[in-house]
């Protein structure tokens, strides 16, 4: 598939997801009763369907989750001028946040009911400067291991032409969610 065709496919997928999210409750936090008894994958799928709120950070930083399946989460983002650092490239924090979101949500898809996680370590490698000339980038996170206490995952941030901008790994602590 050509770069232009792939970008058009990415944009079409983004429009579909954003339409579902906008038709739902918008950004915010799901109520405990909406999450009770649900697996992490079920929660992610409910969010993608617009049935429960999505994370406000996605709206703030102009990225959105595109897909969630067992062990995988894909985010798509728009690098904009407001994300620039003083050197004229996209700030590393924006890149790290997209990668952290893909990593964390990939781990989230593996959580059984009543289990949660938090990032204990995030390692990001920046390999190419990103600018607003790149219309969209994707962060694809994949679980490497998910156990009862620790989970690890890896992610790549790339453009529609396949250019790799950054890659990352995470270690997450897995725990029993406290009763609310």
């Amino acid at each position: 598939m050509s770069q232009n065709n792939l970008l058009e496919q990415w944009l079409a997928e983004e429009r579909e997801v954003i339409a579902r999210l906008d038709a739902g409750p918008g950004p915010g936090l799901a109520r405990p009763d909406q999450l009770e008894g649900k697996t992490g994958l079920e929660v992610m799928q409910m969010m993608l369907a617009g049935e429960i709120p999505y994370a406000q950070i996605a709206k703030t930083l102009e990225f959105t989750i595109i897909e969630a399946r067992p062990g995988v989460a894909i985010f798509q983002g728009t690098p904009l001028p407001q994300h620039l650092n003083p050197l004229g490239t996209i700030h590393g924090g924006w890149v790290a946040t997209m990668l952290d979101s893909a990593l964390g949500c990939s781990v989230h898809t593996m959580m059984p009911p009543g289990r949660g996680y938090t990032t204990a370590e995030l390692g990001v490698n920046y390999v190419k400067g990103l600018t607003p000339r790149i219309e969209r980038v994707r962060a694809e996170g994949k679980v490497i291991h998910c156990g009862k206490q620790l989970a690890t995952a890896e992610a790549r941030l790339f453009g529609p032409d396949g250019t790799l901008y950054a890659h990352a790994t995470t270690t997450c602590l897995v725990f029993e969610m406290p009763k609310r």
Side-chain angles (χ1 to χ4, degrees):
M1 184 178 294
S2 78
Q3 176 184 342
N4 288 339
N5 289 345
L6 185 56
L7 178 59
E8 287 305 316
Q9 179 184 327
W10 283 13
L11 295 173
E13 290 172 13
E14 182 181 287
R15 284 189 297 272
E16 288 177 25
V17 170
I18 289 173
R20 285 194 308 268
L21 296 178
D22 285 347
L29 295 174
R31 297 185 319 270
D33 64 292
Q34 293 174 306
L35 306 178
E36 190 174 342
K38 305 282 191 304
T39 67
L41 181 59
E42 290 171 324
V43 169
M44 297 302 300
Q45 290 172 337
M46 289 169 56
M47 186 177 58
L48 272 164
E51 297 169 6
I52 60 173
Y54 62 91
Q56 177 68 44
I57 192 74
K59 193 168 194 77
T60 301
L61 294 180
E62 296 289 335
F63 63 76
T64 191
I65 187 162
I66 296 294
E67 182 180 339
R69 60 183 192 271
V72 176
I74 301 172
F75 280 74
Q76 186 163 295
T78 307
L80 296 170
Q82 61 259 36
H83 304 136
L84 291 173
N85 63 29
L87 298 175
T89 58
I90 298 300
H91 193 282
W94 186 86
V95 169
T97 302
M98 265 196 74
L99 287 164
D100 184 53
S101 297
L103 291 161
C105 287
S106 71
V107 169
H108 196 112
T109 67
M110 302 299 289
M111 293 295 105
R115 300 288 287 174
Y117 67 96
T118 190
T119 300
E121 177 271 335
L122 173 67
V124 180
N125 295 285
Y126 301 91
V127 297
K128 184 171 176 68
L130 179 60
T131 70
R133 287 191 301 269
I134 307 302
E135 246 183 284
R136 294 294 190 280
V137 289
R138 279 198 169 183
E140 183 171 329
K142 294 180 181 180
V143 170
I144 298 169
H145 167 79
C146 190
K148 290 185 183 228
Q149 295 180 325
L150 290 175
T152 57
E154 60 189 4
R156 296 170 17 101
L157 184 80
F158 56 93
D161 66 351
T163 298
L164 179 67
Y165 294 96
H167 55 96
T169 58
T170 193
T171 301
C172 294
L173 300 176
V174 178
F175 52 84
E176 194 71 28
M177 291 293 291
K179 300 289 182 200
R180 294 184 184 187

